[in-house]
Amino acid sequence: MQVTTSITLTVLHDGQFWIGIFEHADEGRYGACRVVFGAAEPTDVELVAFIVRRWTTLAFDMAADPSATADAVLSHANPKRRQREARKLVERAGVGTKAQQAMSISYEARKIESRALAREARQAQAERRFALRRQKRKQKHRGRWRPGILILP
């Protein structure tokens, strides 16, 4: 049994900071991770030390390799259909490298998750306010409510 794993590190300067883009391909799955190194350019020794120390803590969002699915989609016999589908895939893929696309997919997933958490927190806060209003109304009805003081049963 042969296991295929590919790891790539690209270091680039974005105008302000040095950034490393780690790409990890493992048996048809692909993931990317972005790390900010800082204002000073990292040396080779610092990069190796970073990889040794922090490789296991890098957050790769592993997904199916988009190029593998593209080959499966283009398996039709008609060459004109293959050409149309290839053009659609290129248009749908968008701008950027495979690493940039993987990171944007991961960013969108985190954004959806944070929206869901924020919605749950808002609903919990609304329920707490409603319970407090209900308790205040009940105490007013019993004649035990005074402004600023909440008497619990």
Side-chain angles (χ1 to χ4, degrees):
M1 182 174 133
Q2 183 178 2
V3 177
T4 306
T5 302
S6 170
I7 301 165
T8 306
L9 168 62
T10 306
V11 179
L12 53 105
H13 191 263
D14 71 349
Q16 185 177 7
F17 297 111
W18 286 92
I19 294 174
I21 298 177
F22 290 89
E23 300 176 70
H24 184 210
D26 185 24
E27 295 183 6
R29 293 171 15 135
Y30 177 81
C33 178
R34 178 176 177 259
V35 176
V36 178
F37 289 118
E41 180 177 4
T43 63
D44 292 341
V45 175
E46 292 172 341
L47 290 174
V48 170
F50 178 85
I51 292 170
V52 168
R53 261 192 344 264
R54 301 231 356 244
W55 176 257
T56 56
T57 62
L58 293 178
F60 289 103
D61 291 331
M62 299 299 281
D65 190 359
S67 61
T69 58
D71 294 339
V73 170
L74 296 176
S75 64
H76 303 292
N78 188 338
K80 288 185 178 181
R81 179 181 292 175
R82 273 197 301 226
Q83 187 178 19
R84 267 195 316 271
E85 290 178 354
R87 188 175 58 244
K88 285 181 186 176
L89 280 174
V90 169
E91 289 173 358
R92 203 174 345 141
V95 181
T97 64
K98 193 180 346 177
Q100 290 170 334
Q101 291 170 0
M103 284 190 295
S104 70
I105 290 170
S106 144
Y107 171 73
E108 292 296 326
R110 283 195 309 269
K111 186 166 64 170
I112 290 170
E113 182 180 339
S114 68
R115 282 181 182 168
L117 290 174
R119 183 174 49 250
E120 289 174 7
R122 266 194 318 271
Q123 289 174 347
Q125 179 66 20
E127 288 173 6
R128 280 193 295 273
R129 283 192 310 244
F130 179 71
L132 191 62
R133 277 196 324 264
R134 191 173 43 206
Q135 189 176 18
K136 181 179 171 182
R137 193 169 53 236
K138 187 184 242 185
Q139 287 185 357
K140 278 184 173 182
H141 181 71
R142 292 182 179 171
R144 298 190 320 188
W145 182 79
R146 286 177 268 154
I149 299 174
L150 192 62
I151 302 170
L152 299 175

